[in-house]
Short mmCIF file of all heavy atoms in Angstrom, two decimals:
data_model
loop_
_atom_site.label_atom_id
_atom_site.label_comp_id
_atom_site.label_asym_id
_atom_site.label_seq_id
_atom_site.Cartn_x
_atom_site.Cartn_y
_atom_site.Cartn_z
N VAL B 291 8.64 13.76 -6.39
CA VAL B 291 9.56 14.86 -6.08
C VAL B 291 10.56 15.06 -7.22
O VAL B 291 10.90 16.19 -7.57
CB VAL B 291 10.29 14.58 -4.75
CG1 VAL B 291 11.51 15.47 -4.60
CG2 VAL B 291 9.35 14.79 -3.59
N GLU B 292 10.99 13.96 -7.82
CA GLU B 292 11.95 14.07 -8.91
C GLU B 292 11.33 14.81 -10.09
O GLU B 292 12.00 15.57 -10.78
CB GLU B 292 12.37 12.66 -9.32
CG GLU B 292 13.73 12.62 -9.97
CD GLU B 292 14.20 11.19 -10.19
OE1 GLU B 292 13.83 10.30 -9.40
OE2 GLU B 292 14.94 10.97 -11.17
N GLN B 293 10.03 14.57 -10.30
CA GLN B 293 9.36 15.22 -11.43
C GLN B 293 8.99 16.66 -11.12
O GLN B 293 9.05 17.52 -11.99
CB GLN B 293 8.12 14.41 -11.84
CG GLN B 293 8.51 13.16 -12.62
CD GLN B 293 7.37 12.18 -12.76
OE1 GLN B 293 6.29 12.41 -12.24
NE2 GLN B 293 7.62 11.09 -13.46
N ALA B 294 8.58 16.91 -9.90
CA ALA B 294 8.17 18.27 -9.52
C ALA B 294 8.67 18.57 -8.11
O ALA B 294 8.06 18.13 -7.14
CB ALA B 294 6.66 18.40 -9.59
N PRO B 295 9.77 19.32 -7.98
CA PRO B 295 10.30 19.66 -6.65
C PRO B 295 9.25 20.37 -5.79
O PRO B 295 8.38 21.07 -6.31
CB PRO B 295 11.46 20.60 -6.97
CG PRO B 295 11.87 20.25 -8.35
CD PRO B 295 10.62 19.84 -9.06
N VAL B 296 9.36 20.15 -4.49
CA VAL B 296 8.39 20.69 -3.55
C VAL B 296 9.07 21.74 -2.68
O VAL B 296 10.18 21.51 -2.18
CB VAL B 296 7.87 19.57 -2.61
CG1 VAL B 296 6.74 20.08 -1.73
CG2 VAL B 296 7.43 18.36 -3.42
N ALA B 297 8.43 22.89 -2.48
CA ALA B 297 8.99 23.90 -1.58
C ALA B 297 8.83 23.42 -0.14
O ALA B 297 7.74 23.01 0.26
CB ALA B 297 8.28 25.22 -1.77
N VAL B 298 9.91 23.45 0.63
CA VAL B 298 9.83 23.01 2.02
C VAL B 298 9.17 24.12 2.84
O VAL B 298 9.59 25.27 2.78
CB VAL B 298 11.24 22.72 2.57
CG1 VAL B 298 11.17 22.37 4.05
CG2 VAL B 298 11.90 21.60 1.79
N PRO B 299 8.11 23.79 3.58
CA PRO B 299 7.44 24.83 4.36
C PRO B 299 8.32 25.28 5.53
O PRO B 299 9.27 24.60 5.92
CB PRO B 299 6.18 24.13 4.88
CG PRO B 299 6.50 22.68 4.84
CD PRO B 299 7.50 22.48 3.74
N ASP B 300 7.98 26.43 6.07
CA ASP B 300 8.81 27.01 7.12
C ASP B 300 8.15 26.86 8.49
O ASP B 300 6.99 27.21 8.65
CB ASP B 300 9.01 28.51 6.81
CG ASP B 300 10.27 29.03 7.49
OD1 ASP B 300 11.00 28.21 8.06
OD2 ASP B 300 10.50 30.24 7.43
N TYR B 301 8.88 26.31 9.44
CA TYR B 301 8.38 26.21 10.81
C TYR B 301 9.49 26.58 11.77
O TYR B 301 10.68 26.41 11.45
CB TYR B 301 7.92 24.78 11.12
CG TYR B 301 6.78 24.34 10.26
CD1 TYR B 301 6.96 23.38 9.28
CD2 TYR B 301 5.51 24.90 10.41
CE1 TYR B 301 5.92 22.97 8.47
CE2 TYR B 301 4.46 24.51 9.61
CZ TYR B 301 4.67 23.55 8.63
OH TYR B 301 3.64 23.16 7.83
N PRO B 302 9.15 27.08 12.95
CA PRO B 302 10.18 27.33 13.95
C PRO B 302 10.75 26.01 14.47
O PRO B 302 9.99 25.08 14.75
CB PRO B 302 9.45 28.08 15.06
CG PRO B 302 8.00 27.86 14.83
CD PRO B 302 7.81 27.51 13.39
N VAL B 303 12.08 25.95 14.56
CA VAL B 303 12.72 24.74 15.08
C VAL B 303 13.69 25.12 16.20
O VAL B 303 14.18 26.25 16.26
CB VAL B 303 13.49 23.99 13.96
CG1 VAL B 303 12.53 23.39 12.96
CG2 VAL B 303 14.48 24.91 13.26
N VAL B 304 13.96 24.17 17.09
CA VAL B 304 14.84 24.40 18.22
C VAL B 304 16.10 23.56 18.04
O VAL B 304 16.00 22.39 17.66
CB VAL B 304 14.16 23.97 19.54
CG1 VAL B 304 14.93 24.51 20.74
CG2 VAL B 304 12.73 24.43 19.58
N ASP B 305 17.25 24.15 18.31
CA ASP B 305 18.47 23.35 18.20
C ASP B 305 18.92 22.84 19.57
O ASP B 305 18.25 23.05 20.58
CB ASP B 305 19.57 24.14 17.47
CG ASP B 305 20.06 25.34 18.29
OD1 ASP B 305 19.71 25.42 19.49
OD2 ASP B 305 20.77 26.18 17.72
N ALA B 306 20.09 22.18 19.59
CA ALA B 306 20.57 21.54 20.81
C ALA B 306 20.89 22.55 21.91
O ALA B 306 20.92 22.21 23.09
CB ALA B 306 21.80 20.69 20.50
N GLN B 307 21.13 23.82 21.51
CA GLN B 307 21.41 24.86 22.51
C GLN B 307 20.12 25.51 23.02
O GLN B 307 20.17 26.44 23.82
CB GLN B 307 22.33 25.93 21.93
CG GLN B 307 23.80 25.52 21.81
CD GLN B 307 24.02 24.51 20.69
OE1 GLN B 307 23.52 24.69 19.58
NE2 GLN B 307 24.73 23.42 20.98
N GLY B 308 19.00 25.06 22.50
CA GLY B 308 17.73 25.63 22.92
C GLY B 308 17.35 26.89 22.15
O GLY B 308 16.40 27.57 22.50
N GLN B 309 18.13 27.21 21.10
CA GLN B 309 17.83 28.41 20.32
C GLN B 309 16.83 28.11 19.22
O GLN B 309 16.88 27.05 18.59
CB GLN B 309 19.12 28.95 19.70
CG GLN B 309 19.96 29.72 20.71
CD GLN B 309 21.18 30.31 20.04
OE1 GLN B 309 21.88 29.64 19.29
NE2 GLN B 309 21.43 31.58 20.31
N THR B 310 15.94 29.06 19.00
CA THR B 310 14.92 28.88 17.97
C THR B 310 15.38 29.50 16.64
O THR B 310 15.92 30.60 16.62
CB THR B 310 13.60 29.54 18.41
OG1 THR B 310 13.22 28.97 19.67
CG2 THR B 310 12.50 29.27 17.41
N HIS B 311 15.20 28.74 15.57
CA HIS B 311 15.51 29.22 14.22
C HIS B 311 14.28 28.99 13.36
O HIS B 311 13.39 28.25 13.73
CB HIS B 311 16.65 28.42 13.59
CG HIS B 311 17.89 28.32 14.42
ND1 HIS B 311 18.93 29.20 14.30
CD2 HIS B 311 18.25 27.44 15.39
CE1 HIS B 311 19.88 28.86 15.16
NE2 HIS B 311 19.49 27.80 15.83
N SER B 312 14.29 29.63 12.19
CA SER B 312 13.28 29.22 11.22
C SER B 312 13.92 28.15 10.35
O SER B 312 15.11 28.23 10.04
CB SER B 312 12.78 30.41 10.40
OG SER B 312 13.61 30.60 9.28
N LEU B 313 13.12 27.17 10.00
CA LEU B 313 13.66 26.05 9.23
C LEU B 313 14.28 26.54 7.93
O LEU B 313 15.35 26.09 7.51
CB LEU B 313 12.53 25.05 8.94
CG LEU B 313 12.91 23.79 8.16
CD1 LEU B 313 14.00 23.02 8.86
CD2 LEU B 313 11.70 22.90 7.95
#
Side-chain angles (χ1 to χ4, degrees):
Chain B
V291 164
E292 205 172 329
Q293 284 167 357
V296 186
V298 176
D300 203 6
Y301 297 109
V303 291
V304 193
D305 67 12
Q307 284 73 46
Q309 282 184 313
T310 304
H311 307 267
S312 87
L313 181 58

